[in-house]
């Protein structure tokens, strides 16, 4: 499978270039995380990996633009894969391990959704890698209620036409 990662490309620009991409024998396109971000406007690449919720739409495009892109890509026999961030949320300006003020209140208001505010210091220690934070507020993925929110988000992406996922910072 030949996957083209169109890093930091707006969905409209990807849609505009689908014929050219298809003519180069790609099978799939990976798009940036499409979750709302703590800052608007094109900034550093890593800003795409500090989401504020499990909703669809940010500087790269809206839910409607995602649906349109997926529809047109399918017509060209191209699959669209979404980069998904579900391990952490955006950090505050003052403390990276505290959720940013823009993080969805449904998440911040539930203390059971969050890992202990402790960074990984030993990447060879499996317990730390799984249970500690990566310099951002870590989500407690063992929480069933949080899992339900994330699964609903993934199904919403599938309903838009997404055909695959790349999970950022997935740990097992």
């Amino acid at each position: 499978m030949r996957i083209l990662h169109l890093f930091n490309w707006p969905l409209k620009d990807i849609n505009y270039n689908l014929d050219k991409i298809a003519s180069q024998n790609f099978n799939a396109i990976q798009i940036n995380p499409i979750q709302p971000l703590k800052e608007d406007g094109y900034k550093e690449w890593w800003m795409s990996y500090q989401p504020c919720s499990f909703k669809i739409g940010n500087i790269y495009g809206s839910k409607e633009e995602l649906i349109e892109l997926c529809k047109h890509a399918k017509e060209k026999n191209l699959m669209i894969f979404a980069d998904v961030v579900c391990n952490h949320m955006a950090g505050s300006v003052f403390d990276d391990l505290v959720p940013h003020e823009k993080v969805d209140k449904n998440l911040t208001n539930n203390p059971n959704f969050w890992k202990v505010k402790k960074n990984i210091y030993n990447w060879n220690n499996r317990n730390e890698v799984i249970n500690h934070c990566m310099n951002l507020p870590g989500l407690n993925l063992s929480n069933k209620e949080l899992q339900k929110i994330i699964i609903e988000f993934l199904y919403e992406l599938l309903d838009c036409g997404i055909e695959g996922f790349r999970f950022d910072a997935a740990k097992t």
Side-chain angles (χ1 to χ4, degrees):
M1 176 171 290
R2 295 185 58 189
I3 303 169
L4 178 62
H5 185 185
L6 293 177
F7 196 65
N8 285 354
W9 279 48
L11 300 180
K12 290 185 296 191
D13 292 351
I14 297 171
N15 202 359
Y16 179 79
N17 285 284
L18 284 177
D19 284 326
K20 185 174 185 178
I21 294 165
S23 74
Q24 295 173 351
N25 296 317
F26 285 100
N27 307 99
I29 298 167
Q30 179 183 320
I31 62 171
N32 261 47
I34 195 73
Q35 297 157 255
L37 308 173
K38 73 178 184 178
E39 291 187 28
D40 295 325
Y42 296 96
K43 306 279 185 206
E44 299 293 329
W45 67 268
W46 47 266
M47 292 301 293
S48 298
Y49 295 89
Q50 290 198 39
C52 290
S53 75
F54 292 107
K55 301 203 181 338
I56 298 173
N58 63 22
I59 59 172
Y60 300 107
S62 66
K63 181 176 180 178
E64 293 74 23
E65 289 169 324
L66 179 63
I67 292 168
E68 184 178 331
L69 171 63
C70 291
K71 178 182 169 226
H72 291 147
K74 191 170 191 114
E75 291 168 0
K76 312 262 182 228
N77 293 316
L78 290 166
M79 295 179 282
I80 302 294
F81 295 164
D83 204 346
V84 175
V85 182
C86 61
N87 186 60
H88 59 268
M89 286 285 133
S92 141
V93 176
F94 305 106
D95 183 349
D96 288 340
L97 297 181
V98 172
H100 191 275
E101 62 186 19
K102 286 188 177 179
V103 172
D104 187 338
K105 298 304 174 221
N106 290 326
L107 300 174
T108 58
N109 289 341
N110 189 333
N112 297 318
F113 285 177
W114 303 93
K115 293 180 180 179
V116 174
K117 294 177 182 131
K118 200 174 196 183
N119 275 319
I120 299 168
Y121 293 104
N122 179 357
W123 286 89
N124 293 317
N125 181 320
R126 185 172 174 11
N127 181 57
E128 279 191 34
V129 172
I130 299 299
N131 297 307
H132 293 183
C133 301
M134 299 182 316
N135 295 317
L136 291 167
L139 291 166
N140 175 13
L141 299 177
S142 65
N143 182 283
K144 298 291 185 201
E145 191 178 345
L146 179 60
Q147 289 173 7
K148 184 178 179 213
I149 291 169
I150 295 168
I151 291 168
E152 286 172 359
F153 171 65
L154 296 174
Y155 275 118
E156 186 177 7
L157 287 170
L158 291 170
D159 288 344
C160 289
I162 291 294
E163 295 190 64
F165 302 105
R166 181 231 171 224
F167 289 96
D168 181 67
K171 300 184 275 181
T172 57

